[in-house]
């Protein structure tokens, strides 16, 4: 097993970033390892899954140690729909249970897996050919984020920060690369996102800004959420409401994917 595979397997959280037909995209993921580094997206992500092409960047959220950079691996991916959960249910679910409390709640036992069958249906995205591994600065504060864009006809990932992320649609935010270099934005599409978890890791939320990057300035066309260094755990009713929302979204994704198979 090479150093990248080992780092990915050990990491508790990561990101997958890519260039879709509609622009750059990024989502938080749980790092898993089978024959290749991979992630297993629930079918609630079907619109995101549909936007995947043949390349992506897998990013480690945390560094190996204090003061060390984090790694990004870019290369060719393979996407497989595992609607019956047979591939995910073999070994990948055990890996995810150890790292991801929502999966521990929904699939921590055979009984839970049968009851929450919709959580077992996945799209397994594997990084089958790593073409490049590079370092990026560690994200050490809530305002740090990933900048995803196209550079030299490939997906590019940088770590940036900002003094104020409160700007919304029609506004602008000046980005500061954590490695100190210029971004040299040419007006192309850019996607900036971060994610944070509650102390119990049951609540896991992404925030993002989408727009055009000119120089160091992101002109905001879409905005979702904001960084929050103290994300509160779910209360009882919030937990139940979230569970029902995720269940409905997963079942809708499964139904849509199954309809395609019978056409």
């Amino acid at each position: 097993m090479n150093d990248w595979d080992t780092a990915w397997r050990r990491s508790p959280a990561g990101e997958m970033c890519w260039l879709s037909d509609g622009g750059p995209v990024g989502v938080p993921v749980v790092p898993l390892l089978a024959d290749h580094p991979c992630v297993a997206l629930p079918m609630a992500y079907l619109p995101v899954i549909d936007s995947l092409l043949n390349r992506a960047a897998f990013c480690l959220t945390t560094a190996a140690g204090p003061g060390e950079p984090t790694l990004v691996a870019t290369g060719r991916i393979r996407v497989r729909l595992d609607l019956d959960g047979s591939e995910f249910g073999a070994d990948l679910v055990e890996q995810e249970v150890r790292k991801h409390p929502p999966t521990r709640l929904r699939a921590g036992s055979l009984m839970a897996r049968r009851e929450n069958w919709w959580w077992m249906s996945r799209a397994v995205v594997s990084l089958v050919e790593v073409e490049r591994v590079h370092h990026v600065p560690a994200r050490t504060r809530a305002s740090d984020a990933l900048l995803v864009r196209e550079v030299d006809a490939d997906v590019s990932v940088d770590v940036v920060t900002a003094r104020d992320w409160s700007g919304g649609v029609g506004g602008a935010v000046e980005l500061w690369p954590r490695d100190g270099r210029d971004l040299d934005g040419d007006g192309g599409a850019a996607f900036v996102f971060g994610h944070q978890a509650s102390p119990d890791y049951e609540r896991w939320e992404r925030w993002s800004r989408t727009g055009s990057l000119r120089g160091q300035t992101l002109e905001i066309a879409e905005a979702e959420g904001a960084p929050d260094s103290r994300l509160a755990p779910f209360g009882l009713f919030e937990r139940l409401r979230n569970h029902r929302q995720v269940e409905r979204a997963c079942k809708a994704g499964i139904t849509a994917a199954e309809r395609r198979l019978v056409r």
Side-chain angles (χ1 to χ4, degrees), residues 157-256:
V157 178
D158 295 288
V159 174
V160 298
T161 193
R163 291 192 178 96
D164 183 5
W165 287 109
S166 63
V169 175
V173 58
E174 187 171 4
L175 305 182
W176 298 87
R178 290 297 305 272
D179 60 8
R181 64 185 181 85
D182 291 333
L183 293 175
D184 295 325
D186 60 2
F191 182 72
V192 181
F193 77 104
H195 56 99
Q196 58 270 319
S198 57
D200 59 3
Y201 271 83
E202 185 182 349
R203 185 177 178 185
W204 195 10
E205 295 186 0
R206 183 186 76 167
W207 62 271
S208 65
R209 299 290 182 272
T210 305
S212 302
L213 184 67
R214 300 184 185 277
Q216 307 282 106
T217 301
L218 180 71
E219 299 172 354
I220 303 171
E222 298 178 27
E224 177 187 11
D228 184 353
S229 60
R230 294 175 299 211
L231 195 65
F234 283 131
L236 176 60
F237 293 110
E238 289 177 315
R239 181 179 296 113
L240 292 173
R241 183 168 59 247
N242 174 259
H243 182 79
R244 293 192 185 103
Q245 289 172 344
V246 174
E247 180 180 359
R248 285 195 297 268
C250 286
K251 288 180 177 178
I254 293 168
T255 299

Side-chain angles (χ1 to χ4, degrees), residues 108-130:
S109 67
L110 292 176
M111 182 177 295
R113 292 169 199 178
R114 286 193 294 269
E115 180 180 352
N116 300 311
W117 56 269
W118 44 268
W119 190 246
M120 300 296 293
S121 183
R122 299 295 179 109
V124 180
V125 185
S126 301
L127 187 62
V128 295
E129 183 179 349
V130 176

Side-chain angles (χ1 to χ4, degrees), residues 44-58:
Y45 280 84
L46 185 60
V48 168
I49 295 161
D50 286 343
S51 75
L52 285 162
L53 299 176
N54 62 351
R55 295 181 60 76
F58 281 29

